mmCIF file of all heavy atoms in Angstrom:
data_model
loop_
_atom_site.group_PDB
_atom_site.id
_atom_site.type_symbol
_atom_site.label_atom_id
_atom_site.label_comp_id
_atom_site.label_asym_id
_atom_site.label_seq_id
_atom_site.Cartn_x
_atom_site.Cartn_y
_atom_site.Cartn_z
ATOM 1 N N VAL A 1 -0.312 6.604 19.644
ATOM 2 C CA VAL A 1 -1.376 6.839 20.629
ATOM 3 C C VAL A 1 -2.002 5.477 20.905
ATOM 4 O O VAL A 1 -2.185 4.669 19.986
ATOM 5 C CB VAL A 1 -2.421 7.817 20.090
ATOM 6 C CG1 VAL A 1 -3.643 7.870 20.992
ATOM 7 C CG2 VAL A 1 -1.835 9.212 19.911
ATOM 8 N N ALA A 2 -2.324 5.203 22.171
ATOM 9 C CA ALA A 2 -2.909 3.903 22.518
ATOM 10 C C ALA A 2 -3.978 4.080 23.568
ATOM 11 O O ALA A 2 -3.915 4.999 24.393
ATOM 12 C CB ALA A 2 -1.833 2.940 23.003
ATOM 13 N N GLY A 3 -4.947 3.164 23.548
ATOM 14 C CA GLY A 3 -5.996 3.194 24.558
ATOM 15 C C GLY A 3 -6.979 2.073 24.351
ATOM 16 O O GLY A 3 -6.708 1.113 23.608
ATOM 17 N N VAL A 4 -8.123 2.189 25.009
ATOM 18 C CA VAL A 4 -9.128 1.126 25.005
ATOM 19 C C VAL A 4 -10.474 1.698 24.587
ATOM 20 O O VAL A 4 -10.912 2.748 25.063
ATOM 21 C CB VAL A 4 -9.257 0.477 26.405
ATOM 22 C CG1 VAL A 4 -10.307 -0.636 26.374
ATOM 23 C CG2 VAL A 4 -7.919 -0.068 26.871
ATOM 24 N N ALA A 5 -11.129 1.000 23.661
ATOM 25 C CA ALA A 5 -12.498 1.325 23.255
ATOM 26 C C ALA A 5 -13.179 0.028 22.877
ATOM 27 O O ALA A 5 -12.533 -0.894 22.369
ATOM 28 C CB ALA A 5 -12.505 2.291 22.087
ATOM 29 N N TYR A 6 -14.448 -0.061 23.157
ATOM 30 C CA TYR A 6 -15.210 -1.289 22.865
ATOM 31 C C TYR A 6 -14.542 -2.533 23.456
ATOM 32 O O TYR A 6 -14.605 -3.617 22.888
ATOM 33 C CB TYR A 6 -15.417 -1.443 21.347
ATOM 34 C CG TYR A 6 -16.380 -0.436 20.779
ATOM 35 C CD1 TYR A 6 -15.929 0.814 20.336
ATOM 36 C CD2 TYR A 6 -17.754 -0.677 20.732
ATOM 37 C CE1 TYR A 6 -16.820 1.763 19.854
ATOM 38 C CE2 TYR A 6 -18.641 0.255 20.245
ATOM 39 C CZ TYR A 6 -18.168 1.476 19.812
ATOM 40 O OH TYR A 6 -19.040 2.420 19.331
ATOM 41 N N GLY A 7 -13.916 -2.328 24.615
ATOM 42 C CA GLY A 7 -13.287 -3.462 25.315
ATOM 43 C C GLY A 7 -12.031 -3.969 24.650
ATOM 44 O O GLY A 7 -11.525 -5.024 25.039
ATOM 45 N N LYS A 8 -11.485 -3.243 23.677
ATOM 46 C CA LYS A 8 -10.301 -3.676 22.963
ATOM 47 C C LYS A 8 -9.207 -2.615 23.068
ATOM 48 O O LYS A 8 -9.485 -1.421 23.040
ATOM 49 C CB LYS A 8 -10.618 -3.900 21.470
ATOM 50 C CG LYS A 8 -11.662 -4.966 21.190
ATOM 51 C CD LYS A 8 -12.003 -4.998 19.706
ATOM 52 C CE LYS A 8 -13.058 -6.034 19.377
ATOM 53 N NZ LYS A 8 -12.517 -7.411 19.458
ATOM 54 N N ARG A 9 -7.978 -3.061 23.138
ATOM 55 C CA ARG A 9 -6.848 -2.129 23.130
ATOM 56 C C ARG A 9 -6.513 -1.803 21.674
ATOM 57 O O ARG A 9 -6.422 -2.705 20.829
ATOM 58 C CB ARG A 9 -5.627 -2.720 23.818
ATOM 59 C CG ARG A 9 -4.401 -1.793 23.793
ATOM 60 C CD ARG A 9 -3.295 -2.302 24.705
ATOM 61 N NE ARG A 9 -2.045 -1.610 24.500
ATOM 62 C CZ ARG A 9 -1.736 -0.421 25.018
ATOM 63 N NH1 ARG A 9 -2.639 0.210 25.754
ATOM 64 N NH2 ARG A 9 -0.571 0.152 24.797
ATOM 65 N N LEU A 10 -6.320 -0.510 21.413
ATOM 66 C CA LEU A 10 -5.973 -0.063 20.073
ATOM 67 C C LEU A 10 -4.725 0.786 20.135
ATOM 68 O O LEU A 10 -4.616 1.701 20.960
ATOM 69 C CB LEU A 10 -7.117 0.768 19.480
ATOM 70 C CG LEU A 10 -6.859 1.382 18.085
ATOM 71 C CD1 LEU A 10 -6.701 0.284 17.032
ATOM 72 C CD2 LEU A 10 -7.996 2.340 17.698
ATOM 73 N N VAL A 11 -3.751 0.460 19.287
ATOM 74 C CA VAL A 11 -2.526 1.240 19.158
ATOM 75 C C VAL A 11 -2.494 1.829 17.748
ATOM 76 O O VAL A 11 -2.594 1.094 16.756
ATOM 77 C CB VAL A 11 -1.266 0.386 19.391
ATOM 78 C CG1 VAL A 11 0.003 1.222 19.212
ATOM 79 C CG2 VAL A 11 -1.278 -0.238 20.794
ATOM 80 N N LEU A 12 -2.374 3.155 17.671
ATOM 81 C CA LEU A 12 -2.344 3.836 16.382
ATOM 82 C C LEU A 12 -0.985 4.501 16.231
ATOM 83 O O LEU A 12 -0.487 5.171 17.152
ATOM 84 C CB LEU A 12 -3.434 4.913 16.299
ATOM 85 C CG LEU A 12 -4.874 4.477 16.604
ATOM 86 C CD1 LEU A 12 -5.228 4.827 18.033
ATOM 87 C CD2 LEU A 12 -5.848 5.151 15.642
ATOM 88 N N LYS A 13 -0.367 4.353 15.062
ATOM 89 C CA LYS A 13 0.940 4.909 14.804
ATOM 90 C C LYS A 13 0.912 5.763 13.541
ATOM 91 O O LYS A 13 0.429 5.321 12.493
ATOM 92 C CB LYS A 13 1.979 3.797 14.645
ATOM 93 C CG LYS A 13 3.407 4.283 14.441
ATOM 94 C CD LYS A 13 4.386 3.127 14.343
ATOM 95 C CE LYS A 13 5.806 3.597 14.130
ATOM 96 N NZ LYS A 13 6.355 4.287 15.325
ATOM 97 N N ASP A 14 1.419 6.990 13.660
ATOM 98 C CA ASP A 14 1.551 7.861 12.490
ATOM 99 C C ASP A 14 2.822 7.469 11.769
ATOM 100 O O ASP A 14 3.927 7.647 12.277
ATOM 101 C CB ASP A 14 1.626 9.320 12.969
ATOM 102 C CG ASP A 14 1.687 10.322 11.814
ATOM 103 O OD1 ASP A 14 1.814 9.880 10.666
ATOM 104 O OD2 ASP A 14 1.621 11.523 12.096
ATOM 105 N N THR A 15 2.674 6.925 10.551
ATOM 106 C CA THR A 15 3.839 6.447 9.802
ATOM 107 C C THR A 15 4.382 7.474 8.833
ATOM 108 O O THR A 15 5.418 7.251 8.211
ATOM 109 C CB THR A 15 3.453 5.188 9.004
ATOM 110 O OG1 THR A 15 2.546 5.559 7.961
ATOM 111 C CG2 THR A 15 2.831 4.133 9.902
ATOM 112 N N GLY A 16 3.679 8.596 8.677
ATOM 113 C CA GLY A 16 4.063 9.562 7.656
ATOM 114 C C GLY A 16 3.378 9.283 6.328
ATOM 115 O O GLY A 16 3.252 10.164 5.487
ATOM 116 N N ASP A 17 2.946 8.046 6.158
ATOM 117 C CA ASP A 17 2.229 7.648 4.943
ATOM 118 C C ASP A 17 0.771 7.353 5.252
ATOM 119 O O ASP A 17 0.034 6.893 4.395
ATOM 120 C CB ASP A 17 2.913 6.398 4.346
ATOM 121 C CG ASP A 17 2.379 6.044 2.964
ATOM 122 O OD1 ASP A 17 1.997 6.974 2.226
ATOM 123 O OD2 ASP A 17 2.325 4.842 2.647
ATOM 124 N N GLY A 18 0.397 7.565 6.493
ATOM 125 C CA GLY A 18 -0.943 7.246 6.954
ATOM 126 C C GLY A 18 -0.913 6.824 8.404
ATOM 127 O O GLY A 18 0.095 6.971 9.099
ATOM 128 N N VAL A 19 -2.006 6.275 8.866
ATOM 129 C CA VAL A 19 -2.126 5.812 10.253
ATOM 130 C C VAL A 19 -2.197 4.307 10.274
ATOM 131 O O VAL A 19 -3.061 3.701 9.630
ATOM 132 C CB VAL A 19 -3.381 6.421 10.934
ATOM 133 C CG1 VAL A 19 -3.560 5.837 12.323
ATOM 134 C CG2 VAL A 19 -3.284 7.939 10.991
ATOM 135 N N LEU A 20 -1.271 3.698 11.021
ATOM 136 C CA LEU A 20 -1.246 2.252 11.155
ATOM 137 C C LEU A 20 -1.991 1.848 12.405
ATOM 138 O O LEU A 20 -1.704 2.343 13.503
ATOM 139 C CB LEU A 20 0.193 1.735 11.238
ATOM 140 C CG LEU A 20 0.361 0.242 11.458
ATOM 141 C CD1 LEU A 20 -0.081 -0.546 10.203
ATOM 142 C CD2 LEU A 20 1.807 -0.110 11.812
ATOM 143 N N LEU A 21 -2.982 0.952 12.269
ATOM 144 C CA LEU A 21 -3.662 0.346 13.423
ATOM 145 C C LEU A 21 -2.955 -0.955 13.701
ATOM 146 O O LEU A 21 -3.158 -1.956 13.021
ATOM 147 C CB LEU A 21 -5.151 0.126 13.108
ATOM 148 C CG LEU A 21 -5.923 1.312 12.515
ATOM 149 C CD1 LEU A 21 -7.401 0.961 12.376
ATOM 150 C CD2 LEU A 21 -5.745 2.561 13.360
ATOM 151 N N GLU A 22 -2.073 -0.941 14.686
ATOM 152 C CA GLU A 22 -1.165 -2.064 14.903
ATOM 153 C C GLU A 22 -1.896 -3.337 15.331
ATOM 154 O O GLU A 22 -2.723 -3.309 16.254
ATOM 155 C CB GLU A 22 -0.106 -1.692 15.947
ATOM 156 C CG GLU A 22 0.846 -0.611 15.460
ATOM 157 C CD GLU A 22 2.051 -0.416 16.378
ATOM 158 O OE1 GLU A 22 2.054 -1.004 17.492
ATOM 159 O OE2 GLU A 22 2.977 0.310 15.988
ATOM 160 N N GLY A 23 -1.583 -4.428 14.662
ATOM 161 C CA GLY A 23 -2.117 -5.736 15.019
ATOM 162 C C GLY A 23 -3.580 -5.948 14.703
ATOM 163 O O GLY A 23 -4.162 -6.957 15.091
ATOM 164 N N VAL A 24 -4.191 -4.995 14.005
ATOM 165 C CA VAL A 24 -5.620 -5.085 13.701
ATOM 166 C C VAL A 24 -5.812 -5.837 12.386
ATOM 167 O O VAL A 24 -5.138 -5.580 11.395
ATOM 168 C CB VAL A 24 -6.239 -3.662 13.605
ATOM 169 C CG1 VAL A 24 -7.650 -3.706 13.028
ATOM 170 C CG2 VAL A 24 -6.238 -2.985 14.980
ATOM 171 N N SER A 25 -6.766 -6.782 12.381
ATOM 172 C CA SER A 25 -7.072 -7.509 11.170
ATOM 173 C C SER A 25 -8.013 -6.697 10.294
ATOM 174 O O SER A 25 -8.660 -5.743 10.773
ATOM 175 C CB SER A 25 -7.733 -8.846 11.503
ATOM 176 O OG SER A 25 -9.028 -8.648 12.064
ATOM 177 N N ALA A 26 -8.105 -7.074 9.020
ATOM 178 C CA ALA A 26 -9.014 -6.381 8.124
ATOM 179 C C ALA A 26 -10.443 -6.509 8.616
ATOM 180 O O ALA A 26 -11.235 -5.569 8.514
ATOM 181 C CB ALA A 26 -8.870 -6.946 6.717
ATOM 182 N N GLU A 27 -10.787 -7.680 9.149
ATOM 183 C CA GLU A 27 -12.150 -7.909 9.652
ATOM 184 C C GLU A 27 -12.458 -7.022 10.850
ATOM 185 O O GLU A 27 -13.529 -6.413 10.943
ATOM 186 C CB GLU A 27 -12.345 -9.383 10.021
ATOM 187 C CG GLU A 27 -12.295 -10.364 8.852
ATOM 188 C CD GLU A 27 -10.878 -10.593 8.335
ATOM 189 O OE1 GLU A 27 -9.905 -10.297 9.073
ATOM 190 O OE2 GLU A 27 -10.736 -11.078 7.177
ATOM 191 N N GLU A 28 -11.495 -6.932 11.786
ATOM 192 C CA GLU A 28 -11.713 -6.108 12.972
ATOM 193 C C GLU A 28 -11.820 -4.643 12.606
ATOM 194 O O GLU A 28 -12.624 -3.887 13.160
ATOM 195 C CB GLU A 28 -10.557 -6.310 13.961
ATOM 196 C CG GLU A 28 -10.771 -5.566 15.282
ATOM 197 C CD GLU A 28 -9.594 -5.739 16.233
ATOM 198 O OE1 GLU A 28 -8.784 -6.672 16.043
ATOM 199 O OE2 GLU A 28 -9.509 -4.939 17.178
ATOM 200 N N TYR A 29 -11.036 -4.218 11.645
ATOM 201 C CA TYR A 29 -11.120 -2.819 11.181
ATOM 202 C C TYR A 29 -12.515 -2.530 10.648
ATOM 203 O O TYR A 29 -13.129 -1.521 11.015
ATOM 204 C CB TYR A 29 -10.082 -2.549 10.105
ATOM 205 C CG TYR A 29 -10.283 -1.194 9.434
ATOM 206 C CD1 TYR A 29 -10.074 -0.013 10.131
ATOM 207 C CD2 TYR A 29 -10.765 -1.125 8.120
ATOM 208 C CE1 TYR A 29 -10.296 1.235 9.531
ATOM 209 C CE2 TYR A 29 -11.001 0.108 7.507
ATOM 210 C CZ TYR A 29 -10.767 1.278 8.214
ATOM 211 O OH TYR A 29 -11.017 2.492 7.628
ATOM 212 N N GLU A 30 -13.027 -3.419 9.793
ATOM 213 C CA GLU A 30 -14.335 -3.196 9.194
ATOM 214 C C GLU A 30 -15.446 -3.261 10.234
ATOM 215 O O GLU A 30 -16.407 -2.488 10.176
ATOM 216 C CB GLU A 30 -14.592 -4.225 8.096
ATOM 217 C CG GLU A 30 -13.758 -4.042 6.843
ATOM 218 C CD GLU A 30 -14.103 -2.773 6.079
ATOM 219 O OE1 GLU A 30 -15.257 -2.317 6.178
ATOM 220 O OE2 GLU A 30 -13.215 -2.249 5.386
ATOM 221 N N GLU A 31 -15.303 -4.168 11.223
ATOM 222 C CA GLU A 31 -16.375 -4.376 12.203
ATOM 223 C C GLU A 31 -16.381 -3.340 13.315
ATOM 224 O O GLU A 31 -17.442 -3.020 13.862
ATOM 225 C CB GLU A 31 -16.248 -5.784 12.809
ATOM 226 C CG GLU A 31 -16.535 -6.905 11.816
ATOM 227 C CD GLU A 31 -16.259 -8.275 12.413
ATOM 228 O OE1 GLU A 31 -15.888 -8.342 13.610
ATOM 229 O OE2 GLU A 31 -16.404 -9.274 11.685
#
């Protein structure tokens, strides 16, 4: 699933082991 929020593009992938936020840094995830 992909889209835009807070002016940023976010791509989320269901890996079967969890949800991967593609290309997202640890800092961006926390912020």
Side-chain angles (χ1 to χ4, degrees):
V1 170
V4 180
Y6 289 89
K8 300 174 180 288
R9 178 170 169 81
L10 177 65
V11 178
L12 307 99
K13 183 178 180 68
D14 183 353
T15 68
D17 189 33
V19 175
L20 177 69
L21 310 185
E22 293 190 351
V24 169
S25 68
E27 293 75 18
E28 184 181 344
Y29 170 69
E30 290 292 333
E31 292 174 3

